[in-house]
Amino acid sequence: MENMKRVLSYVRRATDDYCMIEDGDKIAVGVSAGKDSLTLLCAMAYLRRFYPKKFSLIAITIDMGFEPRQDFTPIRELCERLDVEYHVVPTEIFKIIFDVRKESNPCSLCAKMRRGALHTAAKELGCTSVALGHHFDDVVETFMLNLFFEGRLGCFSPVTYLSRVGIKLIRPMLYMPERDVAEFSKKNELPVIPSPCPADKNTQREEMKQLLRSLERENKGLRYRIFGAITRGEIDGFRQFGRMEGIKNYQNEDADASDKPEVNDEN
């Protein structure tokens, strides 16, 4: 796969820095069919080949119950090429949120229900960990969303242990800029399936993404500095490490970011 070496450089560094993988782990990649989770799936499949701590890998997609039902055949075919076991978990999340509860702000409840379904499925399949496709830009956006809308300094953690279900959540792409994710997905023609959700692209996260993009036109490297503040402040388990060359390159490349095509969000 094109650019795999670059992707693995980000993933390996984050995995090592935060001790995300232990010998004998069975890791479930949460695959939403968006570019982020598909890139993570490919990276973990390749990492499995040489990582010193041996682990097994499966992929899980939570079928939200959209009508008509989504066809995940292209994802299954990708998993077959990568030699990764694939599971689709059917749910009625869409109907519950939009038809039964008629939520006017559905994203929070939807995310909570999807997480619950994913964690339960991973546990039932004997997994010790769940890998999620959050990347560098997600870290910065989540921090800013918490600051703007909740008035607190917080973010998701690189590694989280869910004691209730006995599952560890890991985020191996947290050093990888979204632009690199989009480039990898495009060059390798990953089978991204657009989200049919009526709330897609109409969220506070999308607003924050656009705000940061606008601010960075006049403040080059803004996201890098915010990420640095998160690590120096050791917020929610983040720590500062000395090997951040790839992220620093991202800061330098931002001078030309306005001339590059915009990337799409994860589904």
Side-chain angles (χ1 to χ4, degrees), residues 9 15 29 35 50 62 81 85 90 111 131 137 153 188 218 237:
S9 70
T15 300
V29 177
K35 71 181 189 322
F50 65 85
I62 302 302
R81 294 197 298 273
E85 183 181 318
D137 294 77
L153 301 179
N188 292 285
E218 300 298 327

Side-chain angles (χ1 to χ4, degrees), residues 177-239:
E178 184 175 18
R179 188 166 61 242
D180 284 348
V181 176
E183 183 179 4
F184 178 83
S185 177
K186 183 177 180 180
K187 284 190 173 182
N188 292 285
E189 298 181 343
L190 298 186
V192 173
I193 301 175
S195 172
C197 178
D200 189 44
K201 303 290 188 259
N202 186 29
T203 64
Q204 288 180 337
R205 180 171 294 275
E206 179 63 24
E207 292 175 5
M208 181 57 67
K209 186 184 297 291
Q210 297 302 327
L211 174 61
L212 286 167
R213 184 173 291 140
S214 175
L215 290 172
E216 200 148 27
R217 292 192 182 101
E218 300 298 327
N219 300 274
K220 305 304 180 185
L222 175 64
R223 279 169 289 182
Y224 169 75
R225 291 193 293 276
I226 294 173
F227 189 93
I230 295 169
T231 61
R232 288 190 294 274
E234 298 186 350
I235 292 172
D236 289 328
F238 281 85
R239 300 195 303 276

Side-chain angles (χ1 to χ4, degrees), residues 28-264:
V29 177
V31 177
S32 69
K35 71 181 189 322
D36 302 346
S37 61
L38 292 175
T39 297
L40 176 62
L41 173 63
C42 295
M44 295 299 287
Y46 274 73
L47 185 69
R48 178 183 54 180
R49 300 178 180 180
F50 65 85
Y51 198 64
K53 296 180 179 180
K54 302 305 178 184
F55 64 93
S56 57
L57 194 66
I58 68 171
I60 300 176
T61 293
I62 302 302
D63 184 342
M64 298 282 291
F66 295 111
E67 294 293 347
R69 288 280 180 171
Q70 292 175 280
D71 180 10
F72 296 108
T73 300
I75 311 298
R76 187 175 299 280
E77 292 172 347
L78 174 63
C79 287
E80 290 174 355
R81 294 197 298 273
L82 295 172
D83 192 25
V84 174
E85 183 181 318
Y86 183 51
H87 298 267
V88 177
V89 179
T91 73
E92 298 299 327
I93 293 176
F94 175 78
K95 291 182 180 179
I96 292 171
I97 291 176
F98 289 97
D99 296 340
V100 177
R101 296 180 59 117
K102 303 184 186 300
E103 292 281 335
S104 57
N105 297 297
C107 296
S108 178
L109 178 60
C110 178
K112 183 177 181 178
M113 294 181 72
R114 282 188 291 117
R115 286 196 301 267
L118 176 60
H119 301 163
T120 298
K123 186 65 175 179
E124 290 176 349
L125 290 165
C127 296
T128 58
S129 304
V130 172
L132 303 175
H134 295 113
H135 48 63
F136 171 88
D137 294 77
D138 287 326
V139 175
V140 174
E141 290 161 12
T142 300
F143 176 80
M144 295 299 289
L145 284 166
N146 287 331
L147 179 63
F148 274 50
F149 295 103
E150 297 183 23
R152 66 181 181 90
L153 301 179
C155 189
F156 51 73
S157 298
V159 177
T160 304
Y161 184 72
L162 304 177
S163 57
R164 185 177 61 82
V165 291
I167 290 285
K168 180 173 65 177
L169 301 184
I170 62 175
R171 295 175 167 90
M173 293 205 309
L174 60 83
Y175 289 157
M176 186 171 178
E178 184 175 18
R179 188 166 61 242
D180 284 348
V181 176
E183 183 179 4
F184 178 83
S185 177
K186 183 177 180 180
K187 284 190 173 182
N188 292 285
E189 298 181 343
L190 298 186
V192 173
I193 301 175
S195 172
C197 178
D200 189 44
K201 303 290 188 259
N202 186 29
T203 64
Q204 288 180 337
R205 180 171 294 275
E206 179 63 24
E207 292 175 5
M208 181 57 67
K209 186 184 297 291
Q210 297 302 327
L211 174 61
L212 286 167
R213 184 173 291 140
S214 175
L215 290 172
E216 200 148 27
R217 292 192 182 101
E218 300 298 327
N219 300 274
K220 305 304 180 185
L222 175 64
R223 279 169 289 182
Y224 169 75
R225 291 193 293 276
I226 294 173
F227 189 93
I230 295 169
T231 61
R232 288 190 294 274
E234 298 186 350
I235 292 172
D236 289 328
F238 281 85
R239 300 195 303 276
Q240 187 173 26
F241 297 94
R243 297 173 297 131
M244 298 293 288
E245 291 81 3
I247 303 298
K248 289 180 180 178
N249 289 339
Y250 177 49
Q251 177 190 19
N252 296 332
E253 290 167 4
D254 279 342
D256 300 323
S258 60
D259 298 327
K260 296 182 179 181
E262 295 182 357
V263 293
N264 295 322

